[in-house]
Amino acid sequence: MDNITALGGDVYEIDTKMAGYTGITAGYLILGDRPCLVETGTSTSAPVVRDALASLGVGPEDLATVVVTHIHLDHAGGVGDIAKFFPSAQIVVHEKGARHLADPSRLMASARMVWGDKLDTLFGELSPTEAERIVALGDTGAIDLGNGRTLNSHYSPGHAKHHVGLIDSATGDLYVGDAAGVYLPETGDLRPATPPPDFDLQTALDSIALFEALGPQRLLFSHYGPVDAVQDTLERSAEELRIWVDLTRQAHAEGMDLDHAVAMVRDRTKDRYRALEAEGGEDGAAEQFELLSGAPSNVAGILHWLNRVSP
């Protein structure tokens, strides 16, 4: 299938084809004795992911675990559907997200407030998962991949209070979710992901420092793909956070409303990203950036945090 890429170490990247786009949200299959899917993508992507797993030899009874880095709908919106397709799989999530997978009504209501009519096209509906199938992680945890191989989870809030990073004991791959930002492989750009309501600068920087301390061999971004330059990329991730926060803080101090703050930050950061250099960007890369890590969402999240810490 054209949406599967072998990454070595029995790891396969699956393009979940979010909302019909390519290169937006990746799921990853670790194909060991106990096959594990990291990130499901959205509800509307679930059949795409199921078919990709089938083509890799993973049938309905074969998937042992499904792990999500956090419960935002682009990462976990398909959990309920995937759980139905693979009835033997345990569903693993941080304890702060577990109840929302069992009863998604509050999560869906708040998502609808943010996205309105776009919600159905972009994400679809998160279906509930039976509570007894959900494994809730604390600050750390270990997922058994078979043959002594484990996927170790590390609590990494900052982007979201229910976020974990996951490191594979066999490959050193670190699944960073959104805690290190959004990476565009076409251009090598990296942009922060700081949506409301959970963003907190120090917590976000601490999460990146934790990722550095884990000494990963490679970063696997949910948006999007593998990156070998671990140290440089994590340093860039922290730098981007600081720049976006400094600019938003300046707008906040000048009393700008959200629209004016967004316009200022967008204008002052555009030279940092190759995707935004040409009109329309490279292959719609600018559009991908705005969909995944839009300036309005990022600035709104930083303003929300600023109002909390310095009202």
Side-chain angles (χ1 to χ4, degrees), residues 157 175 236 276:
Y175 297 84
R236 171 85 191 269
L276 307 183

Side-chain angles (χ1 to χ4, degrees), residues 237-248:
S237 174
E239 179 189 8
E240 292 293 329
L241 280 171
R242 290 193 179 97
I243 285 168
W244 279 68
V245 165
D246 286 348
L247 288 170
T248 305

